[in-house]
Amino acid sequence: MSSSTVKTDAQGLSAEDHKNKGNSALQSNQVSQAIEHYTAAINLDGTNVVYFSNRSAAYLKKNDAVNALADAESCIGLDPNFSKGYSRKGAALHAAKRYNDSIAAFQEGLSKFPSDAGLLNGLASVQKDQKSSSAPAASSPFANLFGPDLMTKIALNAKLRPYLNDADFVQKN
């Protein structure tokens, strides 16, 4: 195969075709369809950081911070000089209410790209939410004993994740 040959799937679609279809689906709020297209693009070309970035955004739109974070980490792993990777990571951690980790991700990106608007806006947003979430609770002193992000932490832990499939464990009292 020469370097100019474009790899296609069984339908004859290239990774770029799938990316474009994913973008259209995401703009039409067809998030699951967008994720499928971005996944197909990644399967055809797992070295293109934009495909992971776009899928991360789609997962985030679906409120799936765990997968959004995984794709953001892939972005940074593939290209540490891709500023959107740090924005995606910060946004995923922010959505998971992991404020300190989110701030660290945005700051890491800003250390490389100090004037990046996405990173600056993301950092300001998470700092604002962190400040408002740390206001003292007026009710029980035990109300936030485990923190608002406990379930996210469990979901991100490979050993604890299976407990989330247990209805008795997940049930809120």
Side-chain angles (χ1 to χ4, degrees):
M1 186 188 304
S2 72
S3 61
S4 64
T5 302
V6 175
K7 193 173 173 184
T8 58
D9 64 8
Q11 289 81 35
L13 297 174
S14 70
E16 277 296 306
D17 292 335
H18 279 291
K19 180 195 84 165
N20 293 334
K21 286 180 174 285
N23 291 348
S24 294
L26 194 59
Q27 288 173 352
S28 301
N29 214 28
Q30 297 170 319
V31 181
S32 294
Q33 188 179 18
I35 290 169
E36 288 175 20
H37 282 294
Y38 296 137
T39 300
I42 290 166
N43 289 339
L44 288 167
D45 180 2
T47 64
N48 190 319
V49 69
V50 173
Y51 304 155
F52 285 98
S53 176
N54 289 6
R55 189 170 70 175
S56 177
Y59 277 129
L60 202 54
K61 193 167 186 176
K62 193 177 179 181
N63 295 318
D64 183 349
V66 173
N67 283 314
L69 178 59
D71 278 352
E73 302 255 353
S74 294
C75 287
I76 295 168
L78 284 169
D79 185 358
N81 293 315
F82 182 67
S83 66
K84 257 192 188 171
Y86 299 95
S87 291
R88 300 287 189 222
K89 181 177 180 179
L93 290 165
H94 185 181
K97 295 185 178 15
R98 290 175 52 190
Y99 300 125
N100 290 335
D101 293 335
S102 176
I103 289 168
F106 284 120
Q107 287 175 335
E108 183 183 358
L110 285 166
S111 72
K112 294 179 178 213
F113 312 99
S115 61
D116 185 278
L119 292 167
L120 290 166
N121 292 336
L123 178 61
S125 177
V126 73
Q127 287 173 329
K128 177 183 172 199
D129 286 355
Q130 181 186 42
K131 193 172 189 174
S132 66
S133 77
S134 63
S139 59
S140 166
F142 300 106
N144 289 321
L145 184 61
F146 297 105
D149 60 345
L150 177 65
M151 297 307 272
T152 303
K153 288 179 180 176
I154 291 171
L156 292 171
N157 184 303
K159 289 183 181 177
L160 298 177
R161 189 176 305 124
Y163 287 109
L164 295 178
N165 295 325
D166 181 348
D168 292 332
F169 179 81
V170 178
Q171 175 184 347
K172 288 186 177 184
N173 292 323

